[in-house]
Amino acid sequence: VTYPIREKGEGSDYRFIPEPDLPPIWVIDSESREFHEVSLEQSVDCVDLVDVRKLMVELPSQKRERLLRTYGLRIEETENLLTKEYLLSYLKITTELEPKISPKIIYQWMGWLVGILAERNENLGDSRVTHSVLHQLIKLCHVDNKITSKTGIAILQAIVDGDDREPDRIVEEDSLHRITDTQEILKLLDKVLQQNPGIIDKLSADRNQLIDILKGRVMKESKGRGDARVVIRVVREYFDS
């Protein structure tokens, strides 16, 4: 049971005396509807909440919501950016270099790069792969369609290992272009079938499994350069003909 001990006192009970050196201050919000209905004396100092908000740093919850809206990443990916400022900076700059590419794709490539660097006990801040280099690789893969993502990862590895050439030069000089020619892919498929003579009879009962396996073998034979969509189309047409 709670019993009251005494009643709350008034200002006079605490010997409250206004401080003459502290003038009254009005706290207003110039963006609010009520503000335009208030008339203030000119002698009264005002603090506008609009100005206060401009001076405030972005709160973690606000930053999280902004990143989710801006980049469209998953919540766990966004949390990773919040805890690793260098990742956020890298993503921001690379995204600005290539606005046509989804931030999700750029983040995925950053993940591949971070994984390669981790094997060498290096971090993104000390990497030879600058924002410009990563941008060139992503553009070659997703805008120009000149290389596959597997080829792009191989080029990333080469640059981290010390290759000083620009990505497009590596593609040209090492003949790493994406294979989209139907006849060339057919030749690769014939080679795979010759290397695996009994595979069709063995998997004839499951056509989808057969197609998936042959697609993987053709991609391997092309060293990751085959266009996956063209490869699977060619394999399907081969068995439908």
Side-chain angles (χ1 to χ4, degrees), residues 27-42:
V27 179
I28 62 172
D29 187 347
S30 60
E31 291 184 345
S32 70
R33 185 181 304 173
E34 292 79 6
F35 168 74
H36 301 287
E37 301 174 358
V38 177
S39 177
L40 303 177
E41 299 178 8
Q42 292 183 354

Side-chain angles (χ1 to χ4, degrees), residues 188-197 199-200 214 238-239:
L188 293 172
L189 177 59
D190 288 336
K191 186 176 181 180
V192 168
L193 293 175
Q194 290 173 12
Q195 294 171 347
N196 303 271
I199 191 171
I200 295 179
L214 289 176
Y238 182 88
F239 289 103

Side-chain angles (χ1 to χ4, degrees), residues 5-234:
I5 303 301
R6 64 181 178 84
E7 295 181 355
K8 289 287 185 180
E10 300 295 333
S12 58
D13 296 322
Y14 289 97
R15 302 297 186 266
F16 174 77
I17 300 175
E19 171 56 57
D21 293 332
L22 297 177
I25 296 178
W26 282 64
V27 179
I28 62 172
D29 187 347
S30 60
E31 291 184 345
S32 70
R33 185 181 304 173
E34 292 79 6
F35 168 74
H36 301 287
E37 301 174 358
V38 177
S39 177
L40 303 177
E41 299 178 8
Q42 292 183 354
S43 60
V44 176
D45 292 330
C46 295
V47 175
D48 194 338
L49 292 180
V50 173
D51 296 327
V52 174
R53 293 189 191 102
K54 292 178 181 178
L55 297 175
M56 293 177 63
V57 298
E58 189 176 33
L59 298 175
S61 59
Q62 295 171 331
K63 190 173 185 178
R64 182 181 298 106
E65 290 299 320
R66 177 174 62 81
L67 294 179
L68 285 169
R69 290 195 308 271
T70 303
Y71 299 119
L73 302 176
R74 299 195 303 268
I75 185 66
E76 58 269 23
E77 295 169 338
T78 303
E79 292 292 343
N80 194 31
L81 293 177
L82 286 171
T83 57
K84 298 174 182 175
E85 191 65 32
Y86 66 92
L87 282 180
L88 177 56
S89 175
Y90 201 99
L91 175 64
K92 182 177 183 295
I93 295 173
T94 309
T95 302
E96 291 171 352
L97 288 172
E98 191 51 74
K100 295 180 181 179
I101 298 298
S102 166
K104 294 180 180 180
I105 293 176
I106 295 176
Y107 185 88
Q108 183 181 44
W109 279 81
M110 286 172 55
W112 292 334
L113 174 57
V114 169
I116 293 172
L117 292 170
E119 295 176 355
R120 300 170 58 94
N121 294 320
E122 297 178 4
N123 58 59
L124 197 58
D126 302 326
S127 171
R128 298 165 54 90
V129 183
T130 63
H131 310 95
S132 176
V133 170
L134 188 67
H135 160 246
Q136 290 178 51
L137 270 174
I138 295 174
K139 185 173 182 293
L140 283 169
C141 183
H142 298 281
V143 177
D144 303 333
N145 292 317
K146 288 185 176 181
I147 61 173
T148 63
S149 57
K150 186 170 183 178
T151 299
I153 294 172
I155 294 175
L156 272 180
Q157 181 73 64
I159 295 174
V160 170
D161 289 342
D163 195 326
D164 293 326
R165 294 175 296 171
E166 292 292 319
D168 54 351
R169 185 180 165 193
I170 295 176
V171 172
E172 293 295 333
E173 294 181 355
D174 296 355
S175 300
L176 300 177
H177 293 88
R178 183 194 299 256
I179 301 174
T180 58
D181 182 72
T182 301
Q183 294 303 316
E184 191 169 352
I185 291 176
L186 268 173
K187 291 179 182 178
L188 293 172
L189 177 59
D190 288 336
K191 186 176 181 180
V192 168
L193 293 175
Q194 290 173 12
Q195 294 171 347
N196 303 271
I199 191 171
I200 295 179
D201 294 334
K202 184 178 179 181
L203 297 172
S204 59
D206 192 336
R207 182 174 180 274
N208 290 331
Q209 184 184 10
L210 174 61
I211 290 174
D212 287 341
I213 290 176
L214 289 176
K215 173 199 168 188
R217 300 281 176 87
V218 171
M219 291 297 293
K220 183 178 180 181
E221 191 65 33
S222 72
K223 298 180 180 178
R225 292 172 51 221
D227 187 299
R229 288 172 295 185
V230 178
V231 170
I232 197 167
R233 175 172 58 80
V234 169

